[in-house]
Amino acid sequence: MTMATQGRRPSGRQQDRRRRITELVMAEGTLRIDDLITTVDASAMTVYRDLAELESQGLVHRNRGYVSAASSLLYEAASEYRMQQNEAEKTELAKAAIDLVEPGQALMLDDSTTGVYLARLLPDRAPLTVVTNHRGVFGELAGQQGIHLICVGGDFLPWADAFVGGMALDALRGMRVDLAIMSVSAVTDGVCFYPQQEMVQLKKAMLASASRCVLYVDHTKFRRRALHAVAPAERFDTVIVDSKTPDAEVEVLRNRGATVRRAG
Protein backbone atom coordinates (compact mmCIF):
# COMPACT_ATOMS: atom_id res chain seq x y z
CA MET A 1 0.00 0.00 0.00
CA THR A 2 1.40 3.38 -0.98
CA MET A 3 1.52 6.44 1.25
CA ALA A 4 -0.89 8.16 -1.14
CA THR A 5 -3.40 5.34 -0.68
CA GLN A 6 -2.99 5.50 3.08
CA GLY A 7 -3.68 9.23 2.95
CA ARG A 8 -7.02 8.64 1.27
CA ARG A 9 -8.21 6.15 3.88
CA PRO A 10 -10.55 7.89 6.35
CA SER A 11 -9.47 7.90 9.97
CA GLY A 12 -11.57 6.33 12.68
CA ARG A 13 -12.72 9.78 13.73
CA GLN A 14 -13.77 10.61 10.16
CA GLN A 15 -15.64 7.34 9.87
CA ASP A 16 -17.49 7.96 13.14
CA ARG A 17 -18.40 11.49 12.09
CA ARG A 18 -19.61 10.39 8.64
CA ARG A 19 -21.63 7.60 10.21
CA ARG A 20 -23.20 10.15 12.53
CA ILE A 21 -24.00 12.46 9.61
CA THR A 22 -25.55 9.58 7.71
CA GLU A 23 -27.70 8.61 10.70
CA LEU A 24 -28.93 12.19 11.14
CA VAL A 25 -29.91 12.49 7.50
CA MET A 26 -31.54 9.05 7.61
CA ALA A 27 -33.61 10.08 10.59
CA GLU A 28 -34.90 13.34 9.13
CA GLY A 29 -34.86 12.74 5.38
CA THR A 30 -33.70 16.32 4.74
CA LEU A 31 -31.58 18.64 6.89
CA ARG A 32 -30.17 22.14 6.60
CA ILE A 33 -26.42 21.82 6.27
CA ASP A 34 -25.91 24.68 8.74
CA ASP A 35 -27.92 22.74 11.35
CA LEU A 36 -25.91 19.63 10.60
CA ILE A 37 -22.65 21.51 11.16
CA THR A 38 -23.88 22.66 14.57
CA THR A 39 -25.10 19.19 15.54
CA VAL A 40 -21.91 17.29 14.72
CA ASP A 41 -19.75 20.06 16.22
CA ALA A 42 -17.24 20.21 13.38
CA SER A 43 -16.05 22.97 11.10
CA ALA A 44 -18.05 23.84 8.01
CA MET A 45 -15.14 22.81 5.79
CA THR A 46 -14.95 19.41 7.48
CA VAL A 47 -18.67 18.74 7.17
CA TYR A 48 -18.76 19.82 3.52
CA ARG A 49 -15.81 17.51 2.85
CA ASP A 50 -17.68 14.65 4.55
CA LEU A 51 -20.84 15.38 2.58
CA ALA A 52 -18.90 15.41 -0.67
CA GLU A 53 -17.53 11.97 0.15
CA LEU A 54 -20.96 10.62 1.15
CA GLU A 55 -22.45 12.07 -2.02
CA SER A 56 -19.77 10.37 -4.12
CA GLN A 57 -20.84 7.09 -2.49
CA GLY A 58 -24.45 7.71 -3.49
CA LEU A 59 -25.67 8.01 0.10
CA VAL A 60 -26.78 11.67 0.16
CA HIS A 61 -27.33 14.55 -2.21
CA ARG A 62 -26.95 18.30 -1.61
CA ASN A 63 -29.10 21.10 -2.95
CA ARG A 64 -29.03 24.80 -2.03
CA GLY A 65 -27.94 24.47 1.57
CA TYR A 66 -29.81 21.24 2.32
CA VAL A 67 -28.72 17.61 2.37
CA SER A 68 -31.11 14.72 1.76
CA ALA A 69 -30.84 10.96 1.94
CA ALA A 70 -30.35 9.54 -1.53
CA SER A 71 -32.66 6.96 -3.07
CA SER A 72 -30.88 3.96 -1.64
CA LEU A 73 -31.20 1.31 1.02
CA LEU A 74 -30.81 4.07 3.59
CA TYR A 75 -34.41 5.01 2.98
CA GLU A 76 -35.56 1.54 3.98
CA ALA A 77 -33.69 1.80 7.26
CA ALA A 78 -34.79 5.31 8.13
CA SER A 79 -38.10 4.45 9.82
CA GLU A 80 -36.50 1.59 11.73
CA TYR A 81 -33.71 3.90 12.85
CA ARG A 82 -36.18 6.57 14.02
CA MET A 83 -38.12 3.92 15.97
CA GLN A 84 -35.04 3.38 18.12
CA GLN A 85 -34.47 7.07 18.83
CA ASN A 86 -35.87 8.73 21.98
CA GLU A 87 -37.79 5.62 23.00
CA ALA A 88 -38.49 6.85 26.53
CA GLU A 89 -39.85 10.16 25.23
CA LYS A 90 -42.08 8.47 22.66
CA THR A 91 -43.44 6.11 25.28
CA GLU A 92 -44.18 9.08 27.53
CA LEU A 93 -45.98 10.95 24.76
CA ALA A 94 -48.00 7.89 23.77
CA LYS A 95 -49.17 7.35 27.36
CA ALA A 96 -50.32 10.96 27.52
CA ALA A 97 -52.08 10.78 24.15
CA ILE A 98 -54.02 7.61 24.97
CA ASP A 99 -55.84 9.53 27.71
CA LEU A 100 -57.45 11.63 24.96
CA VAL A 101 -58.79 8.60 23.09
CA GLU A 102 -62.29 7.35 23.92
CA PRO A 103 -63.91 4.05 22.95
CA GLY A 104 -66.04 4.29 19.84
CA GLN A 105 -64.01 7.05 18.22
CA ALA A 106 -62.58 7.18 14.72
CA LEU A 107 -59.03 8.53 14.68
CA MET A 108 -56.18 9.16 12.26
CA LEU A 109 -52.51 8.50 12.95
CA ASP A 110 -49.84 9.92 10.65
CA ASP A 111 -46.44 8.57 9.59
CA SER A 112 -44.65 9.51 12.81
CA THR A 113 -42.93 6.68 14.66
CA THR A 114 -44.48 7.89 17.92
CA GLY A 115 -47.73 6.63 16.42
CA VAL A 116 -46.41 3.07 16.60
CA TYR A 117 -45.93 3.48 20.35
CA LEU A 118 -49.46 4.84 20.62
CA ALA A 119 -50.87 2.05 18.46
CA ARG A 120 -49.65 -0.51 21.00
CA LEU A 121 -51.93 1.10 23.60
CA LEU A 122 -55.03 1.52 21.45
CA PRO A 123 -56.55 -1.97 21.93
CA ASP A 124 -57.23 -0.95 25.55
CA ARG A 125 -59.61 1.74 24.16
CA ALA A 126 -61.44 -0.55 21.74
CA PRO A 127 -63.77 -0.42 19.94
CA LEU A 128 -62.02 2.07 17.66
CA THR A 129 -61.71 2.90 13.99
CA VAL A 130 -58.11 3.77 13.12
CA VAL A 131 -57.07 5.36 9.82
CA THR A 132 -53.37 5.53 8.99
CA ASN A 133 -50.91 5.81 6.13
CA HIS A 134 -48.10 4.31 8.23
CA ARG A 135 -47.26 0.66 7.71
CA GLY A 136 -45.79 0.44 11.21
CA VAL A 137 -49.08 1.48 12.81
CA PHE A 138 -50.95 -0.90 10.54
CA GLY A 139 -48.67 -3.76 11.56
CA GLU A 140 -49.27 -3.11 15.26
CA LEU A 141 -53.06 -3.05 14.92
CA ALA A 142 -53.72 -5.67 12.22
CA GLY A 143 -55.84 -8.42 13.71
CA GLN A 144 -56.42 -6.67 17.02
CA GLN A 145 -59.89 -7.36 18.37
CA GLY A 146 -62.17 -4.34 18.41
CA ILE A 147 -60.02 -2.31 16.02
CA HIS A 148 -61.52 -1.43 12.64
CA LEU A 149 -58.37 -0.64 10.70
CA ILE A 150 -58.20 1.41 7.50
CA CYS A 151 -54.83 1.68 5.78
CA VAL A 152 -54.63 4.57 3.33
CA GLY A 153 -52.89 3.38 0.18
CA GLY A 154 -50.92 5.18 -2.50
CA ASP A 155 -47.25 5.45 -3.41
CA PHE A 156 -45.14 3.62 -0.85
CA LEU A 157 -42.22 5.66 0.51
CA PRO A 158 -39.72 3.13 1.92
CA TRP A 159 -37.67 5.46 4.12
CA ALA A 160 -40.85 6.65 5.88
CA ASP A 161 -42.55 3.23 5.83
CA ALA A 162 -45.66 5.10 4.75
CA PHE A 163 -47.99 5.69 1.82
CA VAL A 164 -48.11 9.10 0.13
CA GLY A 165 -49.25 10.75 -3.09
CA GLY A 166 -52.52 11.67 -4.74
CA MET A 167 -54.35 8.45 -3.87
CA ALA A 168 -53.56 8.88 -0.19
CA LEU A 169 -54.58 12.53 -0.27
CA ASP A 170 -57.90 11.77 -1.96
CA ALA A 171 -58.65 9.06 0.57
CA LEU A 172 -57.93 11.30 3.58
CA ARG A 173 -59.91 14.21 2.15
CA GLY A 174 -62.91 11.93 1.72
CA MET A 175 -63.05 10.97 5.40
CA ARG A 176 -64.19 12.60 8.60
CA VAL A 177 -62.88 11.40 11.96
CA ASP A 178 -63.21 12.39 15.60
CA LEU A 179 -59.51 12.78 16.31
CA ALA A 180 -56.21 13.17 14.42
CA ILE A 181 -52.97 12.61 16.33
CA MET A 182 -49.67 13.48 14.68
CA SER A 183 -46.12 14.69 15.10
CA VAL A 184 -43.73 16.86 13.09
CA SER A 185 -39.97 17.10 12.59
CA ALA A 186 -39.49 20.56 14.05
CA VAL A 187 -41.25 23.30 16.02
CA THR A 188 -39.83 26.77 15.43
CA ASP A 189 -41.26 29.84 17.17
CA GLY A 190 -44.47 27.93 17.77
CA VAL A 191 -44.91 26.79 14.17
CA CYS A 192 -44.70 23.14 13.10
CA PHE A 193 -42.46 22.14 10.18
CA TYR A 194 -41.59 19.02 8.18
CA PRO A 195 -38.84 18.45 5.59
CA GLN A 196 -40.88 16.81 2.81
CA GLN A 197 -43.74 18.64 1.09
CA GLU A 198 -45.59 15.42 0.22
CA MET A 199 -45.83 14.56 3.91
CA VAL A 200 -46.92 18.09 4.76
CA GLN A 201 -49.85 17.75 2.37
CA LEU A 202 -50.99 14.56 4.08
CA LYS A 203 -50.71 16.08 7.55
CA LYS A 204 -52.76 19.08 6.45
CA ALA A 205 -55.39 16.75 4.99
CA MET A 206 -55.60 14.92 8.31
CA LEU A 207 -56.00 18.21 10.16
CA ALA A 208 -58.85 19.20 7.87
CA SER A 209 -60.57 15.82 8.24
CA ALA A 210 -60.67 15.71 12.05
CA SER A 211 -63.04 17.29 14.55
CA ARG A 212 -60.18 17.50 17.08
CA CYS A 213 -56.42 17.46 16.50
CA VAL A 214 -53.56 16.55 18.82
CA LEU A 215 -49.87 17.22 18.30
CA TYR A 216 -47.25 15.33 20.28
CA VAL A 217 -43.59 16.36 20.13
CA ASP A 218 -40.58 15.60 22.29
CA HIS A 219 -38.03 18.19 23.40
CA THR A 220 -35.61 17.45 20.53
CA LYS A 221 -38.10 18.87 18.00
CA PHE A 222 -37.56 22.36 19.39
CA ARG A 223 -33.85 22.23 18.50
CA ARG A 224 -34.42 21.26 14.89
CA ARG A 225 -35.30 23.08 11.70
CA ALA A 226 -37.27 21.84 8.71
CA LEU A 227 -38.29 23.40 5.43
CA HIS A 228 -42.09 23.31 5.05
CA ALA A 229 -44.67 24.69 7.47
CA VAL A 230 -47.48 22.35 8.51
CA ALA A 231 -49.49 24.52 10.91
CA PRO A 232 -49.08 26.83 13.91
CA ALA A 233 -49.20 25.03 17.24
CA GLU A 234 -52.45 26.75 18.18
CA ARG A 235 -54.15 25.01 15.22
CA PHE A 236 -54.15 21.87 17.36
CA ASP A 237 -56.67 21.43 20.15
CA THR A 238 -53.98 19.97 22.39
CA VAL A 239 -50.20 19.99 22.18
CA ILE A 240 -48.46 17.27 24.20
CA VAL A 241 -44.78 17.78 25.04
CA ASP A 242 -42.47 15.46 26.96
CA SER A 243 -41.17 16.11 30.45
CA LYS A 244 -37.79 17.33 29.15
CA THR A 245 -39.23 20.17 27.08
CA PRO A 246 -37.88 23.50 28.38
CA ASP A 247 -40.37 25.78 30.12
CA ALA A 248 -39.41 28.57 27.74
CA GLU A 249 -40.60 26.54 24.75
CA VAL A 250 -43.85 25.70 26.49
CA GLU A 251 -44.35 29.39 27.22
CA VAL A 252 -43.91 30.26 23.54
CA LEU A 253 -46.65 27.80 22.62
CA ARG A 254 -49.01 29.07 25.30
CA ASN A 255 -48.41 32.68 24.36
CA ARG A 256 -49.58 31.81 20.85
CA GLY A 257 -52.80 30.42 22.32
CA ALA A 258 -51.97 26.70 22.28
CA THR A 259 -53.27 24.38 24.98
CA VAL A 260 -50.18 22.55 26.17
CA ARG A 261 -50.08 19.35 28.19
CA ARG A 262 -46.79 18.09 29.59
CA ALA A 263 -46.46 14.31 29.56
CA GLY A 264 -45.11 12.44 32.54
Side-chain angles (χ1 to χ4, degrees):
M1 181 182 293
T2 67
M3 292 183 64
T5 302
Q6 287 179 327
R8 289 194 297 269
R9 180 187 292 271
S11 66
R13 185 175 180 181
Q14 285 176 317
Q15 290 177 329
D16 289 343
R17 188 177 58 249
R18 290 171 185 176
R19 186 180 300 113
R20 172 65 171 154
I21 289 172
T22 302
E23 289 175 347
L24 288 167
V25 178
M26 281 170 54
E28 295 301 324
T30 299
L31 279 173
R32 289 181 69 242
I33 295 176
D34 286 347
D35 293 336
L36 186 60
I37 292 168
T38 301
T39 302
V40 301
D41 193 24
S43 70
M45 181 179 296
T46 296
V47 172
Y48 274 98
R49 187 182 301 118
D50 290 338
L51 291 176
E53 176 60 28
L54 294 172
E55 190 168 34
S56 72
Q57 297 175 24
L59 301 179
V60 303
H61 61 82
R62 294 170 293 169
N63 182 37
R64 297 181 179 180
Y66 287 83
V67 57
S68 302
S71 299
S72 68
L73 293 178
L74 285 177
Y75 276 97
E76 297 181 7
S79 181
E80 180 180 353
Y81 171 78
R82 286 184 289 123
M83 278 292 299
Q84 299 170 4
Q85 298 301 108
N86 303 321
E87 291 181 324
E89 289 83 352
K90 291 174 181 177
T91 299
E92 192 177 69
L93 293 173
K95 288 180 177 178
I98 193 65
D99 289 340
L100 303 178
V101 179
E102 299 178 4
Q105 286 185 324
L107 62 146
M108 286 181 176
L109 299 183
D110 70 344
D111 62 283
S112 67
T113 52
T114 305
V116 178
Y117 289 73
L118 176 58
R120 295 168 183 167
L121 305 177
L122 289 178
D124 291 339
R125 292 292 192 273
L128 292 170
T129 295
V130 180
V131 181
T132 186
N133 67 318
H134 190 209
R135 194 175 64 162
V137 170
F138 182 87
E140 289 291 335
L141 294 176
Q144 290 287 343
Q145 187 172 2
I147 302 293
H148 177 209
L149 185 58
I150 300 173
C151 186
V152 175
D155 298 319
F156 183 64
L157 202 58
W159 72 263
D161 204 21
F163 295 93
V164 300
M167 291 177 61
L169 271 175
D170 288 344
L172 292 173
R173 288 169 176 166
M175 298 182 191
R176 291 295 179 269
V177 297
D178 300 298
L179 185 64
I181 307 177
M182 67 182 68
S183 188
V184 292
S185 294
V187 181
T188 305
D189 298 327
V191 180
C192 304
F193 289 84
Y194 201 84
Q196 288 79 23
Q197 181 63 32
E198 55 195 341
M199 290 299 192
V200 170
Q201 292 174 340
L202 291 176
K203 292 176 189 290
K204 287 182 176 181
M206 290 184 176
L207 282 169
S209 297
S211 297
R212 295 180 61 246
C213 304
V214 173
L215 173 74
Y216 44 19
V217 286
D218 66 62
H219 64 284
T220 65
K221 310 291 185 175
F222 295 91
R223 299 199 302 260
R224 297 177 181 171
R225 296 291 182 270
L227 185 59
H228 302 286
V230 177
E234 63 269 24
R235 169 65 178 80
F236 296 86
D237 295 277
T238 303
V239 178
I240 303 174
V241 299
D242 73 333
S243 57
K244 296 180 182 178
T245 302
D247 291 339
E249 298 292 355
V250 173
E251 191 67 20
V252 169
L253 301 179
R254 287 176 172 159
N255 286 340
R256 292 184 61 102
T259 300
V260 183
R261 178 175 179 176
R262 191 185 288 274

